[in-house]
Amino acid sequence: MIKLIVGLGNPGKNYQEHRHNAGFWFVESLASLNDSKFTSQSKFLGESSDLNLNSNKVFLLKPQTFMNNSGGSIKSFLNYYDISPEETLVVHDELDLPVGIVKLKLGGGHGGHNGLRDVMKALGSKNFYRLRIGIEHPGSKNEVVDYVLNAPSKSELCAIKESISRASKIVELLVKGSFEEAMKALHT
């Protein structure tokens, strides 16, 4: 069962519209749908919220340490609440998926994503769930940094928001541990 959903992103107004903040957008959307508010939690180096979904409590976390240093925030949260990596869903932007596509998986490598790299290093584990929000690749690896640190076009943003809305509908399945059912619902 998923007990913690982490959105990866960069804190601050200068970054909130950037593609790299798709993970933040997801957890913010979940909080909004459930009338929950994020509060600053210095002991977790982040902002957190919690939801009650079908009598299951699930936490939301937005590390405020910048994308490439997200692992420490997540590790401190997991340690404090005695949550395992396997009970954690990390939501992030994904260059290797087209805009509007969202995929769920357990484990795997970081695929060059520095946020995931730091999470794996801090947790000492790859065995956490990932919700990968497609933002598409700009075409050249030399353009990646500028691409992820800029806002998507209006049509891209619309497709990303639609994919976030679709993915939000499987969260209750994840929280109760129905991963196969959640994957089937999301991927078909």
Side-chain angles (χ1 to χ4, degrees):
M1 293 176 21
I2 295 296
K3 295 181 180 176
L4 171 64
I5 301 173
V6 181
L8 296 186
N10 287 313
K13 290 182 181 181
N14 293 342
Y15 297 97
Q16 68 188 30
E17 303 298 323
H18 294 175
R19 290 176 181 95
H20 225 12
N21 275 30
F24 276 11
W25 300 343
F26 183 82
V27 293
E28 288 165 355
S29 173
L30 274 182
S32 177
L33 286 169
N34 291 278
D35 295 321
S36 184
K37 303 269 187 264
F38 280 92
T39 57
S40 182
Q41 301 287 329
S42 60
K43 65 185 166 204
F44 305 130
L45 307 169
E47 295 178 358
S48 69
S49 179
D50 61 75
L51 313 173
N52 192 336
L53 301 173
N54 289 338
S55 301
N56 294 304
K57 186 173 187 172
V58 63
F59 294 100
L60 304 177
L61 177 66
K62 294 191 310 181
Q64 299 295 293
T65 53
F66 287 92
M67 176 70 77
N68 297 353
N69 296 308
S70 301
S73 172
I74 299 168
K75 182 178 181 177
S76 65
F77 200 97
L78 294 180
N79 288 343
Y80 185 84
Y81 286 105
D82 194 27
I83 298 172
S84 72
E86 294 83 6
E87 297 170 314
T88 305
L89 175 68
V90 176
V91 186
H92 63 90
D93 59 306
E94 179 61 66
L95 289 166
D96 293 333
L97 291 175
V99 171
I101 300 297
V102 181
K103 296 282 184 180
L104 177 67
K105 76 177 205 174
L106 172 64
H110 55 72
H113 194 290
N114 289 328
L116 286 178
R117 180 182 282 124
D118 193 66
V119 172
M120 289 176 190
K121 182 179 174 188
L123 301 185
S125 175
K126 297 178 180 182
N127 291 328
F128 52 88
Y129 284 87
R130 298 112 188 265
L131 187 67
R132 304 160 53 218
I133 300 173
I135 62 167
E136 205 155 305
H137 200 284
S140 168
K141 68 178 183 176
N142 296 333
E143 298 173 21
V144 167
V145 172
D146 285 340
Y147 181 76
V148 298
L149 294 178
N150 273 290
S153 69
K154 285 184 181 182
S155 64
E156 289 172 331
L157 182 59
C158 184
I160 292 168
K161 285 185 175 184
E162 165 97 17
S163 70
I164 286 172
S165 175
R166 230 177 24 257
S168 295
K169 294 175 182 164
I170 67 157
V171 169
E172 286 189 35
L173 294 171
L174 294 173
V175 169
K176 65 182 191 180
S178 301
F179 299 106
E180 296 298 323
E181 192 178 341
M183 289 178 89
K184 185 177 177 184
L186 186 62
H187 298 166
T188 55

